[in-house]
Amino acid sequence: MKETKQYKIFKIVNTIIMIIVILVTLYPFWYLVSLSLSSEKYVYAGLVSIFPRGFTLKTYQVLLAEKEFWTSYKNTIIYTIVGTLISLFLSTLLAYPLSKKRLKGRGIILGFVVFTMFFSGGLIPTYLLVNALGMRNTIWGVVLPGAVSTFNVIVMKTFFEGIPTELEEAAQVDGMSTYGILLKIILPLSKPIMYVMALFYAVGVWNNWFGPFIYLDDNTKFPVALYLRNIIVGSQQTAVSSTSDVNNLAQISATLKSASVILTSIPIMMVYPFIQKYFVQGVMIGSLKG
């Protein structure tokens, strides 16, 4: 089919708009990269824009040379993997039953779930509960308090509702149990939404510093976000080893925030391309169907 003149104009305008959107979206991140690679005198003078000025890797060298940094990075990886698996498990167990209209009390349970989107127990009661359960200074104090997101559960529920009930009915006729249907039919068909939810939960755990800040006292268990946060707010003297000289401290003080953002963003950016093909499909189906 031959393209009309109006359609060609539309494609050109659409391409230009998309290029502008991409540039506007990428510029803040590129600016942070440029800032993190610039010398402190240019940073303090506000002379850094698109390209680094006084190129230096001193901030990265100082941070990456610290044993505490790698310990916190290891902790973050562990927290992210464990937290994501737990969150997916609990969210699936809640979302799948709620997707069935035959569930008795479904409306009441769903009402309680939605209620938590607007009201919570508060920081102090939550802290007292975590402390009473003996989860302070443990991995469970980091991954369990925020393990289930109400928004994610609702999106998953909507996705499950879009799966034809005939598949489940046929499996029941063949004698398959409810758990068998979930594991062998529903979950294999739900890969798009599961990948999307895994990304959402993983990003949440990876970037979480406030929970560990409240529930962890042992700095050997700090995640990387909390470790870098402590440096940013003025803990350079304790977080950086005693072998670091004054010039190193001045340099990392100038470019620390940008370098921290880069170091914490790279792992998530490396994972995203592998699940990008599921992202739009999972979110759109989970948000609009039903």
Side-chain angles (χ1 to χ4, degrees):
M1 182 181 296
K2 185 178 180 180
E3 295 181 351
T4 64
K5 182 179 179 181
Q6 290 80 3
Y7 183 68
K8 290 180 179 179
I9 295 175
F10 169 77
K11 288 204 309 182
I12 294 174
V13 173
N14 189 52
T15 301
I16 294 174
I17 293 175
M18 292 304 299
I19 291 175
I20 294 174
V21 171
I22 291 173
L23 293 176
V24 171
T25 304
L26 290 180
Y27 175 75
F29 186 80
W30 179 256
Y31 174 73
L32 289 176
V33 174
S34 179
L35 203 66
S36 68
L37 297 174
S38 300
S39 177
E40 71 272 12
K41 65 179 181 179
Y42 294 104
V43 175
Y44 286 133
L47 299 177
V48 180
S49 56
I50 298 178
F51 301 104
R53 298 288 299 274
F55 182 85
T56 177
L57 295 173
K58 188 179 294 183
T59 302
Y60 291 101
Q61 290 172 347
V62 172
L63 287 175
L64 297 179
E66 293 301 317
K67 180 181 178 181
E68 292 86 351
F69 174 81
W70 293 109
T71 300
S72 63
Y73 229 103
K74 180 193 69 175
N75 293 338
T76 300
I77 294 174
I78 295 174
Y79 296 156
T80 301
I81 294 175
V82 175
T84 301
L85 292 176
I86 291 176
S87 295
L88 285 177
F89 177 75
L90 295 178
S91 298
T92 302
L93 290 185
L94 178 58
Y96 180 65
L98 289 177
S99 67
K100 304 305 173 187
K101 296 182 179 180
R102 65 178 182 273
L103 176 68
K104 294 183 179 180
R106 176 176 179 263
I108 297 176
I109 298 174
L110 187 58
F112 279 116
V113 172
V114 175
F115 179 83
T116 62
M117 292 184 68
F118 307 100
F119 302 95
S120 64
L123 178 60
I124 295 178
T126 303
Y127 176 85
L128 294 176
L129 177 62
V130 171
N131 186 53
L133 294 175
M135 295 193 300
R136 284 186 65 248
N137 282 318
T138 68
I139 184 176
W140 312 118
V142 176
V143 301
L144 288 183
V148 177
S149 166
T150 304
F151 173 79
N152 291 348
V153 168
I154 293 176
V155 173
M156 292 180 70
K157 177 188 84 69
T158 308
F159 185 94
F160 290 145
E161 289 175 345
I163 298 177
T165 57
E166 289 80 7
L167 294 175
E168 299 181 54
E169 293 172 355
Q172 289 176 341
V173 171
D174 291 337
M176 188 173 292
S177 65
T178 301
Y179 294 106
I181 295 173
L182 175 61
L183 294 175
K184 297 182 179 180
I185 296 179
I186 301 301
L187 291 184
L189 293 174
S190 304
K191 286 183 180 180
I193 196 66
M194 299 304 289
Y195 280 117
V196 171
M197 293 299 105
L199 177 64
F200 284 174
Y201 280 123
V203 171
V205 178
W206 186 274
N207 293 328
N208 181 27
W209 67 268
F210 187 71
F213 176 74
I214 297 297
Y215 303 125
L216 298 180
D217 296 327
D218 187 355
N219 57 9
T220 62
K221 298 180 181 178
F222 285 174
V224 68
L226 179 57
Y227 171 78
L228 295 175
R229 177 263 177 193
N230 288 342
I231 300 179
I232 291 173
V233 297
S235 300
Q236 292 97 329
Q237 299 295 339
T238 56
V240 180
S241 66
S242 59
T243 59
S244 299
D245 56 26
V246 176
N247 291 332
N248 283 343
L249 291 176
Q251 173 62 39
I252 69 169
S253 177
T255 60
L256 186 62
K257 290 184 180 181
S258 53
S260 300
V261 173
I262 301 301
L263 290 174
T264 54
S265 301
I266 288 177
I268 296 299
M269 294 175 63
M270 293 174 62
V271 171
Y272 180 78
F274 294 99
I275 61 176
Q276 186 271 339
K277 63 180 180 180
Y278 300 103
F279 191 80
V280 175
Q281 180 184 359
V283 172
M284 292 300 293
I285 294 178
S287 301
L288 301 178
K289 270 202 163 184

